[in-house]
Amino acid sequence: MGEFTADESHPRYNSLLSRHKLEIAASKGMLADSAMIAHGRGEAFDYLLGEESSNNAIIATKNALAHLNAAKRPIITINGNTAALAGKELMQIAEALNCPIEINIFYRTEKRISAIIEHLEAIKTEHGITTKILGEKPDAKIPGLEGPRANCCHEGIFSSDVILVPLEDGDRCEALVKMGKTVIVVDLNPMSRSAKMASITIVDEISRVAKNMIDLIESDYKNEIDIDFVNKKNLQKSINIIAANYMS
Ligand code: ATP
Ligand code: MG
């Protein structure tokens, strides 16, 4: 794997840096082979969306944070891509919310779970974060799902009332909604099954979302649940942005 040589003046600096972070994560055994494909799909949508947090993404982010704040048992889940791109920030958010995080990967292997935990533990030590990491020993199952991706922790995902699941698969998102949870998805594709299934979809890039949430937590912004929020309408606004960018 090559060294990262691009400097910040490069017009595609952020994109190159994210790719580099994923290369490192892959070399540590944190990613399934399909992770790069999922990232590529995200990149394509980010290009179409203008590679910035839209106004409607910020509205969804604020509402998501308000729901997490008001939750009895909030949880943030982290997969390999998310750990590589925003592991530190998501653990900082969990610390502020006083909730655990749970490793939640689609193609579950013990080796990959251990690699992700090792990566996150190193970040915790370096930054003095105390967030609890769940997922090593699943002891519950998400009803309606088959195989290893049904596995979860009773203390974490299973018992949660509000769940932040970045880059989630549509099927599992649907199963979590059926469990009665408020499901918050981060997905750059406003047309994915996850995006359409979720209670709140933040159509934005996960590292930008995590930074925006930290900024909101650190500001004295008064965070209230938006009772008029309609997810489908918010998704349509992202689709409108793509269409407008194409026309301009
Ligand atoms: P569906 O939700 O329709 O089942 P999927 O889950 O099968 O789709 P995947 O390719 O498995 O689709 O999931 C990756 C999803 O995550 C894509 O929709 C992609 O746009 C999104 N994505 C990838 N990287 C990022 C990122 N860095 N930030 C936000 N979203 C991302
Ligand atoms: Mg999906």
Side-chain angles (χ1 to χ4, degrees):
M1 180 183 33
E3 230 175 277
F4 187 63
T5 50
D7 67 87
E8 281 186 61
S9 63
H10 192 288
R12 308 221 45 78
Y13 177 81
N14 286 334
S15 163
L16 295 172
L17 184 59
S18 294
R19 287 182 180 185
H20 183 68
K21 286 180 182 168
L22 288 174
E23 279 177 25
I24 294 172
S27 73
K28 288 184 182 170
M30 291 165 56
L31 306 182
D33 292 342
S34 59
M36 297 298 186
I37 300 171
H39 183 73
R41 187 186 293 179
E43 272 193 348
F45 276 99
D46 207 15
Y47 213 109
L48 295 171
L49 286 158
E51 296 177 315
E52 59 185 16
S53 301
S54 63
N55 205 19
N56 58 294
I58 298 284
I59 287 169
T61 303
K62 284 180 176 168
N63 196 27
L65 193 58
H67 277 274
L68 286 164
N69 260 323
K72 284 203 176 77
R73 297 194 66 145
I75 182 100
I76 296 177
T77 75
I78 295 192
N79 64 12
N81 290 42
T82 309
L85 296 174
K88 181 185 87 185
E89 291 78 8
L90 288 171
M91 287 193 293
Q92 286 171 333
I93 295 164
E95 184 138 292
L97 292 168
N98 200 13
C99 77
I101 59 143
E102 182 166 338
I103 315 288
N104 170 35
I105 59 179
F106 192 77
Y107 300 107
R108 189 186 175 94
T109 69
E110 295 320 307
K111 236 176 137 185
R112 205 170 301 123
I113 296 261
S114 308
I116 295 173
I117 290 180
E118 204 178 301
H119 174 79
L120 295 177
E121 287 291 352
I123 295 174
K124 274 177 67 173
T125 309
E126 189 185 342
H127 297 278
I129 300 169
T130 59
T131 305
K132 191 168 180 182
I133 301 176
L134 301 171
E136 200 167 16
K137 293 189 177 66
D139 56 358
K141 289 200 185 292
I142 301 170
L145 293 182
E146 301 289 326
R149 71 202 177 93
N151 290 344
C152 67
C153 292
H154 197 276
E155 186 193 346
I157 291 177
F158 191 85
S159 305
S160 63
D161 54 349
V162 181
I163 175 167
L164 175 62
V165 275
L167 285 55
E168 183 55 292
D169 144 76
D171 216 28
R172 194 156 51 182
C173 177
E174 186 174 7
L176 292 168
V177 171
K178 279 200 181 133
M179 287 175 85
K181 301 179 190 304
T182 298
V183 179
I184 302 160
V185 154
V186 177
D187 193 331
L188 280 158
N189 177 4
M191 286 168 269
S192 77
R193 284 192 72 236
S194 320
K196 289 194 226 164
M197 284 288 162
S199 323
I200 300 172
T201 306
I202 304 171
V203 181
D204 199 358
E205 202 281 319
I206 184 59
S207 51
R208 289 200 301 266
V209 173
K211 286 194 185 103
N212 289 340
M213 280 195 178
I214 289 176
D215 287 348
L216 285 167
I217 289 167
E218 285 173 354
S219 72
D220 49 11
Y221 168 75
K222 197 163 165 289
N223 209 10
E224 277 173 5
I225 289 176
D226 178 359
I227 51 165
D228 295 323
F229 185 87
V230 179
N231 202 44
K232 282 246 155 79
K233 282 194 184 162
N234 197 271
L235 285 175
Q236 183 61 51
K237 286 185 185 154
S238 290
I239 294 169
N240 294 349
I241 291 171
I242 294 175
N245 281 348
Y246 173 69
M247 304 296 277
S248 64

